[in-house]
Amino acid sequence: RGGLLDDPVIAEIARAHEKSPAQIVIRWHVQRGIVVIPKSTSLERLRENGQVFDFALDDSELARIAALETGERTGRNPDFD
């Protein structure tokens, strides 16, 4: 873990929704219509990653997360794995 999942903006939004930072990032993608395929080797985390349909991010939260864009990848690049 690290990077985006440790960002203070993500952490604040996660606390407000009583969700994990990963759930916030996944929900952000879902609400923008972007397919996201989270990876985890932990069964508990896999379950948690799927629990993103019982809340919604508001427009302000969506914009705050979008403003974090750096143009850099936050995960492994499948073209080089």
Side-chain angles (χ1 to χ4, degrees), residues 6-32:
D6 291 329
D7 189 280
V9 170
I10 300 295
E12 179 185 328
I13 295 170
R15 282 190 301 274
H17 288 277
E18 298 181 350
K19 296 291 182 179
S20 73
Q23 287 172 306
I24 297 303
V25 172
I26 293 167
R27 182 63 199 187
W28 181 81
H29 283 86
V30 168
Q31 282 187 233
R32 296 188 65 225

Side-chain angles (χ1 to χ4, degrees), residues 9 12-13 16-17 28 56-66:
V9 170
E12 179 185 328
I13 295 170
H17 288 277
W28 181 81
L57 302 172
D58 65 29
D59 290 342
S60 171
E61 292 167 330
L62 291 169
R64 289 177 68 203
I65 295 169

Side-chain angles (χ1 to χ4, degrees), residues 20 23 27 33 40 43 45 48-50 52 61 64 71 78-79:
S20 73
Q23 287 172 306
R27 182 63 199 187
S40 179
L43 183 56
R45 227 177 250 142
E48 179 182 280
N49 288 344
V52 297
E61 292 167 330
R64 289 177 68 203
D79 292 335

